[in-house]
Structures are given as C-alpha cells and as structure tokens.
Amino acid sequence: MASEQRFLGEILVRRGALPADKLDGLLATQRERGGDLFDLAVNANVADEMAIAKALADEAALPLVVRIDPADIVTTVATRVPIAFAKAHRILVVRESDAAVHVVCSDPFDTQALDDVRVIFEKTVDASVGGRDRIEDAINRVYEKQAGEEQLESDEANPEDEAASDILDSDEEAPVIRWVNSLFLQAMKERASDIHIEPEEKEVIVRYRIDGELYVARRASRAFMNSIISRIKIESALNIAEKRLPQDGRITKKIAGKGFDIRVSTIPTSRGYERIVMRLLNKSSVLLDLPDLGFSPREYALMDGLIRRPDGIILVTGPTGSGKTTTLYACINRINQPNLNILTAEDPVEYEIQGIHQVHVQAKIGLTFASALRAFLRQDPDIVMVGEIRDHETLEIAINASLTGHLVLSTIHTNDAAGAVTRTIDMGAEPFLLRSSVIGILAQRLVRVLCKHCKYQYLAEDFELEELGLTAERMRTRAARRNNPASRYFPRTVGEGDLFESFDPAQRPMFWKARGCAECSNTGFAGRRGIYELLLVDDAVGPLILKRADAQTIKRTAQEMGMDTLRDDGARKVLAGMTTVEEVLAATQEDVEADKGTAAAAGAAAGAAVAPVSRVGAEAE
Ligand SMILES: [Zn+2]
C-alpha cells in the first residue's frame, strides 16, 4: 500500500500536479492516518482533482473525461456494479458495447478494480480517467436514479387510505404508497428534518434537509407527480381537488417504531404545479440535557446557576433555526421538579414534558403569548416559559412576572446577546426594570458536527487561527480576565481541561475536516450542536443598561469581564474536533440576518426556494 501510494505520488510530482516538496509530508500523513494520497492532497488544497486526473490519464495513456453527465449513462448497465464497490474504487460503468465495457475511473492503476469489472461483465474494460469528486457525484446520481425508477416503474398508481400503522409493517402493494412510505423511511434514517417535493419540467425532485442543508435525495418521473401529490394530500387530510390555494395539514405516522408528527404544506407555483414541504417532528425524541447540546463545562455551570435562581428573566437569542427552543426545553427539563408549578406558552408545543403544563398559543382565536402569560400569573406558577417575546405587551408582563418572584424563560430574535438588551429597550422596556429583571442572555447558533467515521486531522493554518482569535495576544488578555476577582464568568467549581481555556498559542494545533463516507451520506457531518455566548447581567453590564448604552459597548464590556463570544465558543469546538473552522465562521458571520425582511422577500422572489413550512414550523429546533 505504502509503496503504491509513493508510486502514485511520484507520478503526480513528475507530471506537475503536485508540488515536489509536499509529497513526503503527505505520505507521512497518509501512513499515520490511512486514507489515500489523492484525498489528502485535494483536501489539503495542494493539488486539484482534475490536475490529478490529467496526470494519471497522461501517465496511463488513457483519455481524460472532464464532464460526466449522468443522463448519458445507462443505469441498468452501470448498476450491475454494486454501489459500495463503485464508491470504494470511484469507478463508474458508463456503457456497454459488444466488445467492451466502458468505465470512467479515478485511478487507472487500480488494476484490481478494473479486473473485477472485467469479470462482472466478461468483457474487455475500456477505461477513461475522471476527477474523483466528479465520479463520486455521478455515482450518487446514477444509483439514486435507479432507486427511483425501480420503485415507480409500475404503470398503475392506486392511492388508497391507510391506517396509521407502522409503515415497516405495511405490505402495501400500490407503488405510489410504497414510494411515499420509503420517502419517510429514508428521511428518518438520514435524520432529515424536512422533505421537499418539487415538480420540475421533466421529473419530480425530492430534497431532504439534513442538519440544516438541503440535499437531492431522489427523483421520479413526472408521470407520477399527480399520484404522489394526491397520496400525500390524502394522508394529511387535504383537499385533493384544490390545486390553486396553499393548504396545511398533518400526518401522524409510525416509522420504524418511532412516532412522527409530520406537518404538510402545499403551495401552487406559477408553472401550475404544487410543491409540497413536510416537516418531520419526532415525538419519540428524547429531551436533551444541557451538556448534550454542546455546552462547555463552564457555560453549563453558569447556565445551571441561572436557571436555579428563584426569579429573573433568562433570554435565549439567535436567528430562526438556531436551536433556541431545544435549549429552553433542556433548561425546563433540568429544573422540572414535582414541587414546582411550571407553565409554558408555545407556538406550537413540540415536546410534551411530563409534569409541566403546556399551552399551545393560537393567535387566530386571541390566545397570544401575552394573554397566555397574563393568565399564567393567576395560576400560581414558579417558572413560566414563553415561546417568544416579540411585542411590548408580552415583554411587560414578563418583566412583571419576574419582579413578582417568578423565573421567566423566553426567546428573542437578535443576533447576539448584547443585541437583546437594546432590542428590549427598543420594544419599550423601562431600562431600570430591565436591569433588575434580566439575569442572563444566551445567544446561540448551530454548527454541524463532523462525522466520526470519516473525519481527519490537519495542521491549523495561520489565517484560521487568526479568524478564530487563537492568537498570543488574545490569549494573554483572556488569562488576565480570568484573574479579575469581579468576574462572575469563571465559577470556581469548574476544573481545567477545557482546550480553549488552556490553549497555548506557541503550539500550532490540529484541526479537523471530514471527507464524507457512507455513514454520513457523503456530507462529512452527522448532527448539530450549539455554540453559545452567555452574557451575565452583572455589575459591569447593569449600569450600561440604565445608561441605554449601545450593543457594541455592552458586548465589549461583557467580554472584558470574561464573556466568550459565539466565535470564541466556536474556536473551543474546533479545537475539540467537534466541527470545522468553516462551520464556525459561517455561523458567526456578523449580521447574519441584518435585515430579516429583505431575506424573506428574497426567498419569496426565488420562487419555490424557501418553503412555507420551514417558516411556519421554524421553531422546530
Ligand atoms: Zn462520514
């Protein structure tokens, strides 16, 4: 293996695809961590996949394929090679002629793989060389196409109603029903939060949202579009005949033993098709505890201290889809005791928690956050949670509740923790009352967690350290803050061992990336965790609230007292190998939603790009 890798590496160097001085380093890394040289070179940005392909094609005197169009590939022929084999060797059968089987491969010197293909087809193999990622992408598309075709090949669709039994037990024969069921099953396996069904000119495209990103999951012929849409409408009790108006419905389903609540939304598009978005809420999902959400020991200790206070307001802030609701649930779950009366007003109620009383807010009938909260105060509560504070009335009642001896948990829509202070003042809160009620503000974002099966280490780059604030200067100021006796940000009870706190800028750290594998559907990620910025309303920040200081000043002061910013906490999680630098930078860009209105308008203008359900059900976090 090692000599093979050196042999390939030397070809690349000789052909100019890889700088000579990088080879030994890459080979050393390859020996240490396994994997292959090409991946390491491409991932480390020292070589380009097409430059590698060209060098290998030239060396082997084979043609180079620049573009692979899955539409040109005969699916039934290609898929005679098992997908696992195709992916492992990055080899794709393009077509078969009388004399030969034509393949595109990434490594023409992988003679074993080429020989296996020869055996499968019992024909001479005629190989061309292509870029690794392009081949992999084509493999995905071709094999997906096959999955779609197989399931919807039957000519007759016969949608019928069906009881809400487990779809795994269903022996349903109608192909459309089986196809729709398999959509749910696959979505569950891949941990998708939403399923988008989008009719296009020639086919129906299904995309899944996994860890916040949309991926094409499968395609079906346009001929089945009406049956698919009707089937989903029947299941969600929508009007099949109504095709000109948006509709909302829901499906309750058992998928592989887990109960799902699926919210369905249809909208008519200008091209005369309806598109459907379904949001999956897993009713069997367990409530998470704060450490499971990605809280560091220090943040956890601080947060735990706040939620055990008898009164005060704790706000969780961040854009839509940043996991705020999940954090509130985790807080409630932690303090949930039989001797406490806990009431929540939510829109909608997403998890039902034993021992607490939850109210589903319905603005349509006049049951708003404000009116629910006002009623709660007559119900002798200890702790109240309000889904969101977005108007003066709700804010005022929340402040009152806090001042009369209740702990109030809520969310507010701002970019960072300091911004929540100015936002509440803008909503008309009296700074004096705010100062004596708000005890802490937690800002958060979600970052994707690296797949543990395919992640690998690399030496951090200078600009990455710079961007994450892992510099000698920053670490010196942080150390000084830790020794400030007035700081409440460093609870004595929390021990060392935090990679961020103990980071030594003299030692260049290793960061992580992932190459993507079957376990993570080639995304390189599995699941998401939060990064946090917890602002304590202490003796430094309190006076600034009274003075109506701007968010910038509040943030700077809190940092001087020891607050970690979102990016600091992101750096901690990069150091811990939980996520990538890119994820953290993307999640902590300033002004992510500087203008929410503009973003929404842009989404609407992009036609079907933004699904209504992902807005309606936005707090399913
Ligand atoms: Zn993976």
Side-chain angles (χ1 to χ4, degrees):
M1 185 68 183
S3 60
E4 235 169 68
Q5 295 283 322
R6 174 163 289 281
F7 164 75
L8 291 169
E10 280 165 358
I11 294 175
L12 299 187
V13 170
R14 184 152 35 80
R15 298 259 170 196
L18 179 70
D21 57 332
K22 301 283 184 197
L23 181 58
D24 286 336
L26 285 171
L27 286 170
T29 315
Q30 192 275 327
R31 272 194 302 276
E32 199 179 301
R33 283 182 231 148
D36 89 20
L37 189 72
F38 300 149
D39 279 336
L40 289 173
V42 171
N43 288 328
N45 279 326
V46 296
D48 171 77
E49 68 158 305
M50 287 315 291
I52 293 177
K54 178 159 187 344
L56 295 175
D58 291 349
E59 183 76 19
L62 290 174
L64 175 73
V65 176
V66 177
R67 195 171 156 275
I68 309 164
D69 188 347
D72 297 341
I73 293 169
V74 184
T75 319
T76 47
V77 174
T79 53
R80 282 177 64 188
V81 171
I83 185 167
F85 178 88
K87 283 194 167 183
H89 296 276
R90 288 185 197 160
I91 186 165
L92 176 62
V93 175
V94 182
R95 68 196 148 81
E96 186 182 13
S97 59
D98 290 341
V101 51
H102 303 266
V103 306
V104 50
C105 64
S106 69
D107 177 1
F109 298 97
D110 187 352
T111 44
Q112 183 66 54
L114 293 169
D115 203 45
D116 287 348
V117 173
R118 186 182 59 79
V119 172
I120 293 172
F121 286 87
E122 297 176 325
K123 274 179 192 166
T124 314
V125 174
D126 175 17
S128 318
V129 183
R132 310 171 62 74
D133 291 348
R134 293 176 197 204
I135 293 177
E136 189 162 311
D137 184 56
I139 291 173
N140 283 335
R141 286 161 178 270
V142 167
Y143 284 78
E144 268 161 15
K145 207 164 91 184
Q146 175 218 18
E149 280 167 9
E150 253 177 19
Q151 274 161 337
L152 279 190
E153 247 161 11
S154 321
D155 7 298
E156 189 108 336
N158 178 26
E160 266 172 28
D161 211 341
E162 182 195 18
S165 57
D166 198 312
I167 62 173
L168 280 186
D169 303 331
S170 164
D171 52 0
E172 197 49 70
E173 287 304 312
V176 165
I177 298 181
R178 273 192 287 129
W179 191 84
V180 170
N181 277 345
S182 74
L183 270 192
F184 290 128
L185 190 61
Q186 192 192 347
M188 189 211 72
K189 278 190 196 149
E190 304 203 2
R191 299 171 298 101
S193 58
D194 302 83
I195 304 174
H196 293 224
I197 299 177
E198 300 159 332
E200 299 280 334
E201 210 65 55
K202 295 202 180 100
E203 53 186 2
V204 180
I205 295 180
V206 176
R207 295 195 293 171
Y208 288 158
R209 190 178 291 282
I210 302 168
D211 296 338
E213 305 273 338
L214 281 171
Y215 298 93
V216 172
R218 59 168 91 171
R219 295 153 198 271
S221 153
R222 260 297 300 264
F224 293 96
M225 189 189 78
N226 285 333
S227 317
I228 293 168
I229 292 177
S230 301
R231 174 67 201 159
I232 291 169
K233 282 182 165 178
I234 288 170
E235 286 210 46
S236 48
L238 297 180
N239 180 350
I240 301 188
E242 180 56 78
K243 296 179 176 165
R244 299 155 307 162
L245 291 173
Q247 298 188 67
D248 292 312
R250 64 202 299 158
I251 305 172
T252 307
K253 245 193 198 314
K254 245 189 160 177
I255 309 172
K258 293 180 180 161
F260 278 83
D261 204 5
I262 301 162
R263 276 187 259 155
V264 182
S265 158
T266 70
I267 53 163
T269 67
S270 60
R271 279 187 274 170
Y273 324 134
E274 285 174 285
R275 77 192 289 283
I276 295 185
V277 174
M278 297 187 276
R279 165 152 294 210
L280 278 67
L281 295 174
N282 182 352
K283 292 194 294 187
S284 331
S285 65
V286 273
L287 278 175
L288 294 170
D289 197 357
L290 294 173
D292 306 325
L293 300 180
F295 276 81
S296 69
R298 181 156 74 91
E299 292 161 330
Y300 173 68
L302 292 172
M303 203 58 199
D304 196 56
L306 288 179
I307 59 180
R308 289 178 194 287
R309 299 261 291 261
D311 53 34
I313 298 176
I314 300 169
L315 295 173
V316 180
T317 179
T320 298
S322 56
K324 302 189 289 284
T325 312
T326 306
T327 301
L328 286 185
Y329 278 125
C331 291
I332 293 272
N333 199 36
R334 249 202 110 61
I335 47 185
N336 187 7
Q337 297 286 339
N339 60 336
L340 292 177
N341 181 14
I342 303 178
L343 300 170
T344 75
E346 306 170 53
D347 183 18
V349 172
E350 280 173 28
Y351 298 80
E352 282 167 11
I353 310 177
Q354 282 286 319
I356 73 166
H357 308 284
Q358 298 169 280
V359 171
H360 181 163
V361 162
Q362 284 173 285
K364 267 185 229 161
I365 57 164
L367 180 56
T368 61
F369 283 126
S371 61
L373 190 49
R374 191 173 287 120
F376 284 177
L377 296 183
R378 295 189 288 267
Q379 291 267 325
D380 185 29
D382 297 292
I383 296 162
V384 295
M385 168 180 139
V386 194
E388 188 184 349
I389 294 179
R390 52 187 164 209
D391 54 57
H392 175 241
E393 197 187 2
T394 314
L395 176 61
E396 199 167 62
I397 309 168
I399 292 175
N400 262 323
S402 152
L403 296 175
T404 52
H406 305 95
L407 185 68
V408 182
L409 303 174
S410 191
T411 72
I412 192 161
H413 220 104
T414 58
N415 267 335
D416 60 5
V421 174
T422 45
R423 177 98 180 84
T424 45
I425 291 178
D426 290 345
M427 275 186 198
E430 167 59 48
F432 179 75
L433 298 180
L434 209 55
R435 195 246 149 111
S436 37
S437 53
V438 177
I439 53 177
I441 303 166
L442 180 77
Q444 69 174 75
R445 296 287 188 281
L446 293 177
V447 292
R448 290 184 290 169
V449 176
L450 282 162
C451 167
K452 63 174 188 285
H453 301 282
C454 63
K455 71 176 187 178
Y456 63 90
Q457 280 188 303
Y458 68 98
L459 206 56
E461 304 271 358
D462 283 335
F463 77 92
E464 294 177 320
L465 296 171
E466 191 72 35
E467 291 274 14
L468 293 178
L470 292 169
T471 59
E473 196 196 335
R474 290 285 301 282
M475 296 321 284
R476 261 197 305 278
T477 42
R478 285 188 48 79
R481 284 164 196 169
R482 203 162 20 235
N483 298 324
N484 175 1
S487 174
R488 286 173 44 208
Y489 284 90
F490 301 94
R492 301 280 168 267
T493 48
V494 176
E496 295 298 313
D498 181 314
L499 291 169
F500 181 64
E501 311 279 349
S502 58
F503 177 70
D504 175 6
Q507 309 267 323
R508 184 177 293 266
M510 299 297 276
F511 286 173
W512 298 77
K513 287 181 187 172
R515 56 173 61 86
C517 66
E519 297 283 338
C520 57
S521 310
N522 280 310
T523 61
F525 296 98
R528 290 188 292 176
R529 292 272 195 303
I531 55 174
Y532 304 95
E533 169 181 301
L534 178 60
L535 182 143
L536 301 174
V537 178
D538 56 11
D539 293 339
V541 164
L544 295 176
I545 297 179
L546 294 185
K547 278 192 275 182
R548 298 173 186 260
D550 60 74
Q552 205 54 40
T553 311
I554 293 173
K555 180 170 187 171
R556 207 178 324 112
T557 306
Q559 277 185 276
E560 278 162 17
M561 294 307 289
M563 178 183 82
D564 283 343
T565 61
L566 283 167
R567 193 160 284 192
D568 291 335
D569 195 39
R572 169 182 285 124
K573 274 130 196 179
V574 169
L575 284 168
M578 192 186 94
T579 191
T580 65
V581 177
E582 289 76 24
E583 278 291 298
V584 170
L585 296 186
T588 56
Q589 256 170 18
E590 286 304 319
D591 308 318
V592 183
E593 52 160 41
D595 192 336
K596 217 176 115 211
T598 320
V610 175
V613 157
S614 56
R615 295 217 155 268
V616 176
E619 294 303 310
E621 308 182 329

